[in-house]
Amino acid sequence: MFFKLKSSTGQPLYLQLMQQIQHAIENGALQDGDQLPGIRTLAEELLVSPNTVAKAYSELEHAGVLDLRHGSGAFISVSRRVRLLAERVRVADKRVGNLIEDLREDGLLDEEIRRLFEAHLIHQSETVRKS
Amino acid sequence: MIRAVVETNGLGKSYGRVHAVRNLNLTVAPGRITAFLGLNGAGKSTTIRMLLGMIRPTEGYGTVLGKRIDDLRASLDLRRHVAYVSEDKRLYGYMTVEQLIRFTSSFYPDWRPDVVKMLLNQYGLPPDRKVRSLSKGMRTKLALLLALARRPELLILDEPSEGLDPVGIEDLLQSLVTQCAEGTAVFFSSHQIAEVERVADQVCILHQGRLVMDASLDDLRFSYRQIDMVFPSLPAELQSQLQVEGVESIRTSGHQMSVLASRNADAIMERARDLNAGSIEAAPVGLREIFLQKVKEN
């Protein structure tokens, strides 16, 4: 696995690492039973604090996609639930793609589409917080 | 909460009328990499030397690994649990690399010959060369090796990357990561933002002897934003109307207004929308911008 962490973005490094592992699971680069490097090894390789890797791994374990076995490493564990979720993400990916195509045909610019998506997502996360 | 490895309370050091460090409340957590960032002359070395009992504070007090830093006997005991790489890396020049390693090892029961062997190899240090004839970068690596050969509870480094080339800096950062993974708390001073931004868990910014920021890099990435807005008109009261919690600074230019927010970016954008901003864009802010802003404002 190759990971690319960017220092100057709005996302904590552990989140970037988490998302890249999750993405690799969704596109099949990482499969059930695959082993990830140990915390120390990956931290040394990426030159990030071991706490960054530890946090990503423990969040992934919490999400049910990683099995941390003490002393023997971290293993991808793709449950039925996760496989279904991955499938849903794939379907959603297609639907979003189609919607964007439609909007472009209606003459909207990408920047405008992006703003609309963001506005809706921000609005939603606010209502969720208030309720 | 687990006991902090470093804790200071109102710590200060004055030389005559010059305040090198003022009212410093610093906490360093165990198991983490903490960067101590500041311009040259900000008081970083003075702070570190107070922590190590090398100079006496003129006000306040502090503990390292639970021991008072102004207690001479405790401070001798401390040196067995704390490893220190000094800024000037003063070493015995008349010894060879190998002699100096053997000499230093005799002081520490926790010495690890296997680590020495590995690092000699990784750093490419010539065992038979006199320390005096080593380049600055080589001397830094040797000082680092002497500190890393032990298994200290706390590793303190004062500007460790000074004089290292890019490969040397990579080696250094990797060694810090390794030490942290082995359970050592790492505290290092630097004015190199790029290296701090990647490897540190926590960043403390010292400016003119005062602590102006102490934040985790996760929080910083998560909540610091620069928000650029365009207003149809910019009345004088607009600035005060935008003073929402989390606003660190506001700059204006023509119809544009740029806000640096340490948190609450959503609420600030909402307020700007209520104030009829035409365009609102938020972008993450790097440590460099935050550092420069903190240093300029104070």
Side-chain angles (χ1 to χ4, degrees), chain B residues 236-258:
Chain B
E237 65 271 20
L238 200 59
Q239 281 219 16
S240 57
Q241 286 169 326
L242 261 173
Q243 284 297 346
V244 182
E245 228 186 289
V247 171
E248 295 280 319
S249 71
I250 299 181
R251 284 179 305 143
T252 56
S253 160
H255 288 266
Q256 279 179 304
M257 189 175 264
S258 181

Side-chain angles (χ1 to χ4, degrees), chain A residues 7 10-11 40 44 46 49 51, chain B residues 31 178 182 198 201 221 284:
Chain A
S7 292
Q11 273 188 326
R40 173 176 162 171
E44 285 174 349
L46 297 173
S49 165
N51 296 306
Chain B
T178 307
E182 286 174 353
R198 187 146 187 106
D201 292 299
R221 290 196 172 93

